[in-house]
Amino acid sequence: IIMENTDYYKRTEKKLDATKRRMYLLDALAGLFIAIGTFALATTLFAVLEHFGNFPSAVRLIFYGMIWLSLIVPFGIFSIPPLLKLLGISNGIQFDELALRIGFYYPDVQDKLSNSLQLVARSKSLEGISRSLIEASFQDAYKVSEGKDFNVIIDKKKTRRSLFYMIAALLLTVVIFATSSNSLFSAINRIQDWGTSYTPPPPYSL
């Protein structure tokens, strides 16, 4: 029987694939949280600047572009790469490398699973090595890794930190806008409508 068609090999491969996809998904979510938080802070910052500065159209156009860049750039840097790997468009981590990372967390696994996966992948081109020996090696690695949590390698703290950053940024934005009457909303409207000229309000009114 071909090694790749055995139930225990398929179960191991499925488990590794689930961990890999979860890792890419959490990385993409972390990037999304960073992008949203940065967008909120940039919106607040430029609204405050416009409120006090009443800038001309050219400056408001720069503000408008910077606000959208604050969303697009972090998303492109932190979310797009893992999304492309998740969708299989770009190359992701190989199963043997993933297994090696998992082995670092379990002394009884170490590099056994990684070496067995490499051996199975190369079995068609290797000569002089018994297939029964390869199967026995993989079965041994499977037994010690079967009950292990492969998701232990996923850095969940990064996603949580990004989530807290987004929540803090959104809360700060809401508080600042809520306590500014309508002045910051007016400033945002002027930034969005950057092509229109606005007459600055008089500095003092009697």
Side-chain angles (χ1 to χ4, degrees):
I1 185 171
I2 299 175
M3 186 68 200
E4 289 87 337
N5 292 336
T6 59
D7 288 340
Y8 48 85
Y9 183 88
K10 288 181 177 179
R11 283 196 293 268
T12 301
E13 194 175 56
K14 184 178 180 180
K15 194 174 177 182
L16 287 168
D17 185 62
T19 294
K20 182 169 69 170
R21 293 178 66 83
R22 181 179 176 83
M23 180 174 65
Y24 291 147
L25 179 59
L26 289 179
D27 284 346
L29 280 175
L32 177 62
F33 296 153
I34 291 172
I36 293 174
T38 305
F39 178 74
L41 293 177
T43 300
T44 304
L45 172 63
F46 290 114
V48 171
L49 290 175
E50 169 59 22
H51 168 64
F52 288 106
N54 287 285
F55 294 101
S57 294
V59 177
R60 282 186 278 121
L61 173 59
I62 294 173
F63 287 176
Y64 183 78
M66 293 294 290
I67 288 173
W68 283 108
L69 283 175
S70 72
L71 177 68
I72 296 169
V73 171
F75 185 78
I77 293 175
F78 299 113
S79 289
I80 293 298
L83 281 176
L84 292 177
K85 293 175 183 178
L86 180 65
L87 297 173
I89 298 174
S90 64
N91 294 328
I93 186 173
Q94 299 298 313
F95 283 157
D96 58 333
E97 184 181 346
L98 194 66
L100 188 61
R101 292 187 188 181
I102 294 167
F104 289 148
Y105 290 87
Y106 300 109
D108 54 338
V109 177
Q110 294 185 353
D111 60 351
K112 290 181 182 177
L113 183 58
S114 177
N115 291 340
S116 296
L117 287 167
Q118 290 180 19
L119 198 59
V120 171
R122 299 173 184 171
S123 60
K124 295 178 181 179
S125 60
L126 293 175
E127 296 181 0
I129 297 181
S130 168
R131 289 193 176 274
S132 59
L133 181 63
I134 295 175
E135 185 173 351
S137 173
F138 189 85
Q139 283 181 339
D140 180 57
Y142 173 75
K143 289 177 182 178
V144 296
S145 63
E146 180 182 11
K148 300 295 190 297
D149 179 16
F150 288 2
N151 292 334
V152 70
I153 67 168
I154 299 175
D155 184 11
K156 301 181 181 70
K157 291 182 180 179
K158 179 174 67 174
T159 306
R160 284 197 293 267
R161 286 194 299 267
S162 301
L163 177 61
F164 292 151
Y165 166 74
M166 181 189 71
I167 292 173
L170 290 174
L171 285 175
L172 180 62
T173 299
V174 169
V175 169
I176 291 175
F177 271 82
T179 56
S180 68
S181 299
N182 290 323
S183 57
L184 290 186
F185 289 101
S186 298
I188 281 295
N189 288 334
R190 292 197 301 272
I191 291 174
Q192 290 179 328
D193 192 19
W194 56 266
T196 302
S197 296
Y198 291 92
T199 302
Y204 303 102
S205 59
L206 298 176

